[in-house]
């Protein structure tokens, strides 16, 4: 395809040009200018279509709608409702919403229960619900206690006597008795190590940035020391990850997606390979494997528990899912949810393929500007389906009841959509390579996967649960840019997998990462007993395992 010639269009006085246009007194130069503007518009529209709405999506983000919510046509009209207005509530959390807060009971300075009322001198005071005050204290992410232990020395025999560390202070809480990585002064606290792990891999704060925060607060913690702390967290993560992956491989529902994640050593290898190729020199087999784009794949598995695993590698989502399912021992075929990209497909594995309805819906949302009538028709029908699914969640229907509801209420909607697609694609005016035809063909090629939730229990409408986790990966990429090498990426994958699995199961990730460091010897013996959803049983005083 040849390059399109361009010209610079300058309008010296737009107001005067508009006046001449409206009065019909246009000069030859005005006509040529208008022809250039029309040609530029046509060329711009063609570029937008060739690039599959990438530019249009960018313009929509800058100037257009902020969400993909499809508004009701009657949104401007107030509809009567039988619901009573909500009373009170200012978005504040109550005292029971802070499970980790230290609660201190303070008694009245002069009164106690059963005393006479100071006001009427007749009634007796009763214990009532306490009043609540919230006292927040600011501090850096990590704090430090320096114990100055008194030391006494005999001037004659030079014997020394040092005060014992109080029982409530634990200098070393990490169990490194059977570990190759021994604790030093900076990484002996399991809770401090866990905090650094959460800052780095959950909130995306790079080590050097946390070092700046700590230094500004007068508690310096160099990036090198943080790296040693993360090694202690990873030493425990390595012990439980095989059990995590084994259970993830046997989930009934597996969903996956990926996003780009740079690895510095891989980029260096690519530059070296390109240089050797340009010079005509041979490239060894190990270097030949490197240089491709690296991805972080998020895989969510659901059965009794939700398990999230992260893998950063040269492979895309489909190959990473295949590697995980290679550990599967369950005979039942899994349900695999992803978007319609070919890179996400799992080759040579028997499974029920489901495709994300959100991605398919987005194709018609992007057509609201160019094909509004057709886009509104599809979006309006899909809104019915999403409302049915939301109603199933609110009513607490089980998988069988949800399937029956969708078959009864969503099935006719998809029959209507399919009939509309067949009729529309057959019309002569539908451009065979246009945007509308592309969206319709996307649906028709993936129809079985998009409608699997109408035939099989437990199939979600979309891949939204994975997309939410992907955002945390993207946040880390934006803050840290890349990993230094593949070993660092693997460490991040393991810790992230444990953090996101804790969150998916409503467990505190800080408590979990701390516990598997403190009890590392026990974790090594029975890692399947130290997973995010069952490790608390092992912390019970009555448990001797």
């Amino acid at each position: 395809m040849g390059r399109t010639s361009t010209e610079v269009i300058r309008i010296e006085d737009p107001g005067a040009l508009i006046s001449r246009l409206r009065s019909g007194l246009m000069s030859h130069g005005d006509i040529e200018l208008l022809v250039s503007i029309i040609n530029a518009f046509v060329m711009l529209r063609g570029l937008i279509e060739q690039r599959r709405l990438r530019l249009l999506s960018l313009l929509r983000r800058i100037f257009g709608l902020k969400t993909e919510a499809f508004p009701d046509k009657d949104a401007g009209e107030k509809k009567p409702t039988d619901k009573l207005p909500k009373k009170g509530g200012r978005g504040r959390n109550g005292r029971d919403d802070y499970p980790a807060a230290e609660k201190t009971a303070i008694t009245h300075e002069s009164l106690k229960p059963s005393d006479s009322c100071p006001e009427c001198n007749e009634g007796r005071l009763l214990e009532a619900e306490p009043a609540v005050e919230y006292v927040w204290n600011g501090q850096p992410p990590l704090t430090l206690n320096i114990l100055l232990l008194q030391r006494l020395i005999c001037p004659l025999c030079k014997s020394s006597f040092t005060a014992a560390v109080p029982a409530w202070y634990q200098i070393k809480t990490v169990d490194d008795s059977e570990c190759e990585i021994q604790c030093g002064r900076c990484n002996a606290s399991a809770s401090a190590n866990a905090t650094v792990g959460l800052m780095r891999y959950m909130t995306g704060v790079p080590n050097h940035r946390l070092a700046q925060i700590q230094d500004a607060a007068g508690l310096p913690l160099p990036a090198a020391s943080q790296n040693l702390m993360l090694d202690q967290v990873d030493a425990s993560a390595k012990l439980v990850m095989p059990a995590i992956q084994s259970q993830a491989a046997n989930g009934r529902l597996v969903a996956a997606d990926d996003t780009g994640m740079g690895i510095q050593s891989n980029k260096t290898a690519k530059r070296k390979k390109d240089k050797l190729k340009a010079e005509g020199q041979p490239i060894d087999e190990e270097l030949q494997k490197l240089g491709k784009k690296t991805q972080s794949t998020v895989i969510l598995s659901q059965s009794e528990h939700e398990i999230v695993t992260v893998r950063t590698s040269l492979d895309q989502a489909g190959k990473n899912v295949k590697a995980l399912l290679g550990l599967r021992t369950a005979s039942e075929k899994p349900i695999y949810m992803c978007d319609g990209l070919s890179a996400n497909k799992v080759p040579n594995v028997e499974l029920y393929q489901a495709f994300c309805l959100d991605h398919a819906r987005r194709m018609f949302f992007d057509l609201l500007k160019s094909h509004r009538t057709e886009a509104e028709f599809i979006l309006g029908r899909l809104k019915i389906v999403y409302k049915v699914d939301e109603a199933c969640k609110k009513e607490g229907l089980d998988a069988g009841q949800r399937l029956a509801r969708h078959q009864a209420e969503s099935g006719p909607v998809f029959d209507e959509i399919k009939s509309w697609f067949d009729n529309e694609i057959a019309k002569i005016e539908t451009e065979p390579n246009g945007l509308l035809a592309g969206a319709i063909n996307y649906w028709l090629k993936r129809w079985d996967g998009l409608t699997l939730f109408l035939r099989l229990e437990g199939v979600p409408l979309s891949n939204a649960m994975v997309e939410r986790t992907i955002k945390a990966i993207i946040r880390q990429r934006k803050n840290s840019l890349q990993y230094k090498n593949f070993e660092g990426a693997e460490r991040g994958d393991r810790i992230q997998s444990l953090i996101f699995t804790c969150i998916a199961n409503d467990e505190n990730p800080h408590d979990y990462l701390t516990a598997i460091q403190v009890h590392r010897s026990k974790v090594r013996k029975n890692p399947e007993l130290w997973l995010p959803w069952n490790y608390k049983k092992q912390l019970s005083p009555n448990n001797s395992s």
Side-chain angles (χ1 to χ4, degrees), residues 208-256:
H208 72 274
R209 197 167 298 165
L210 178 57
Q212 292 174 353
I213 296 173
Q214 292 291 134
D215 191 55
L219 295 169
L221 183 65
S225 298
Q226 296 175 46
N227 193 56
L228 295 175
M229 299 168 82
L230 293 174
D231 283 341
Q232 288 296 338
V233 179
D234 186 43
S236 296
K238 289 178 180 178
L239 301 178
V240 296
M241 277 308 297
I244 288 279
Q245 291 175 329
S246 176
Q247 295 211 18
N250 288 285
R252 184 172 186 273
L253 170 65
V254 177

Side-chain angles (χ1 to χ4, degrees), residues 106-366:
I106 300 177
T107 58
H108 197 277
E109 61 275 7
S110 60
L111 299 173
K112 61 181 182 299
S114 300
D115 284 355
S116 298
C117 174
E119 294 292 331
C120 66
N121 293 320
E122 295 181 2
R124 294 287 181 176
L125 300 181
L126 301 176
E127 189 82 30
E129 187 74 14
V132 179
E133 291 291 342
Y134 298 90
V135 182
W136 287 93
N137 296 308
Q139 64 180 34
L142 286 92
T143 60
L144 176 66
N145 287 324
I146 298 178
L147 305 182
L148 302 177
L149 305 176
Q150 185 180 35
R151 193 160 56 110
L152 305 174
I153 300 178
C154 175
L156 297 180
C157 67
K158 305 301 180 182
S159 299
S160 63
F161 306 90
T162 304
V165 176
W168 56 85
Y169 278 112
Q170 289 185 311
I171 296 179
K172 179 181 177 181
T173 57
V174 175
D175 178 9
D176 62 351
S177 58
E178 301 178 20
C179 185
E180 296 179 359
I181 305 176
Q182 297 297 305
C183 294
R185 188 176 69 178
C186 67
N187 61 350
S189 171
S191 63
N193 298 344
T195 298
V196 173
L198 293 180
M199 295 292 289
R200 178 69 179 87
Y201 297 117
M202 179 180 172
T203 62
V205 178
N207 290 352
H208 72 274
R209 197 167 298 165
L210 178 57
Q212 292 174 353
I213 296 173
Q214 292 291 134
D215 191 55
L219 295 169
L221 183 65
S225 298
Q226 296 175 46
N227 193 56
L228 295 175
M229 299 168 82
L230 293 174
D231 283 341
Q232 288 296 338
V233 179
D234 186 43
S236 296
K238 289 178 180 178
L239 301 178
V240 296
M241 277 308 297
I244 288 279
Q245 291 175 329
S246 176
Q247 295 211 18
N250 288 285
R252 184 172 186 273
L253 170 65
V254 177
D257 201 357
D258 56 22
T259 185
M261 178 62 73
I263 297 178
Q264 184 179 343
S265 63
N266 183 62
K267 294 179 180 179
T268 303
K270 183 179 186 305
R271 289 193 293 268
K272 182 178 179 180
K273 187 167 68 173
D274 291 343
K275 182 179 179 181
L276 293 175
K277 188 176 181 181
E279 296 174 352
Q281 299 183 23
I283 302 174
D284 60 63
E285 184 178 355
E286 190 66 28
L287 184 60
Q288 190 69 40
K289 298 177 182 179
L290 301 175
K292 296 188 297 182
K293 184 178 179 181
T294 48
Q295 312 273 346
S296 280
T297 300
V298 174
I299 306 175
L300 184 141
S301 177
Q302 288 181 343
S303 52
E304 295 182 12
H305 308 281
E306 289 192 4
I307 302 174
V308 180
T309 56
V310 182
R311 185 180 184 220
T312 303
S313 66
L314 297 167
D315 296 327
Q316 293 180 309
K319 290 185 177 180
N320 287 325
V321 172
K322 181 178 181 179
L324 179 66
L325 294 180
L327 305 173
R328 188 177 181 87
T329 57
S331 58
E332 181 185 16
K333 289 197 301 184
I335 301 168
Y336 175 48
M337 164 63 73
C338 64
D339 59 47
L341 293 177
S342 58
N344 292 333
K345 293 183 179 179
V346 181
N348 305 321
V349 176
E350 289 190 8
L351 45 76
Y352 297 106
Q353 178 68 69
F355 288 121
C356 176
L357 197 60
D358 286 355
H359 284 78
R361 176 188 180 276
R362 190 171 299 133
M363 301 191 73
F364 280 92
F365 186 86
D366 288 338

Side-chain angles (χ1 to χ4, degrees), residues 7-18 20-21 26-41:
E7 58 177 313
V8 179
I9 302 175
R10 292 190 176 91
I11 303 177
E12 302 295 341
D13 190 350
L17 176 62
I18 293 173
R20 293 194 298 272
L21 178 61
M26 291 186 296
S27 65
H28 177 73
D30 293 338
I31 295 175
E32 291 297 323
L33 180 60
L34 290 175
V35 171
S36 298
I37 293 174
I38 293 173
N39 287 336
F41 174 79

Side-chain angles (χ1 to χ4, degrees), residues 16-87:
L17 176 62
I18 293 173
S19 298
R20 293 194 298 272
L21 178 61
R22 288 176 173 171
S23 62
L25 302 176
M26 291 186 296
S27 65
H28 177 73
D30 293 338
I31 295 175
E32 291 297 323
L33 180 60
L34 290 175
V35 171
S36 298
I37 293 174
I38 293 173
N39 287 336
F41 174 79
V42 172
M43 181 186 69
L44 179 61
R45 181 181 176 85
L47 288 174
I48 291 174
E49 293 190 357
Q50 291 173 16
R51 294 178 180 273
R52 301 184 66 83
L53 284 176
R54 290 181 184 175
L55 180 58
L56 181 59
S57 298
L58 176 62
L59 294 176
R60 175 167 57 80
R61 290 188 178 186
I62 299 175
F63 302 108
L65 300 174
K66 301 300 181 184
T67 70
E68 294 182 8
F70 184 61
D72 284 326
K73 293 183 178 180
D74 302 328
E77 302 178 7
K78 292 185 178 180
K79 299 180 180 180
T81 177
D82 296 332
K83 294 183 178 179
L84 295 175
K86 293 183 178 179
K87 295 182 180 180

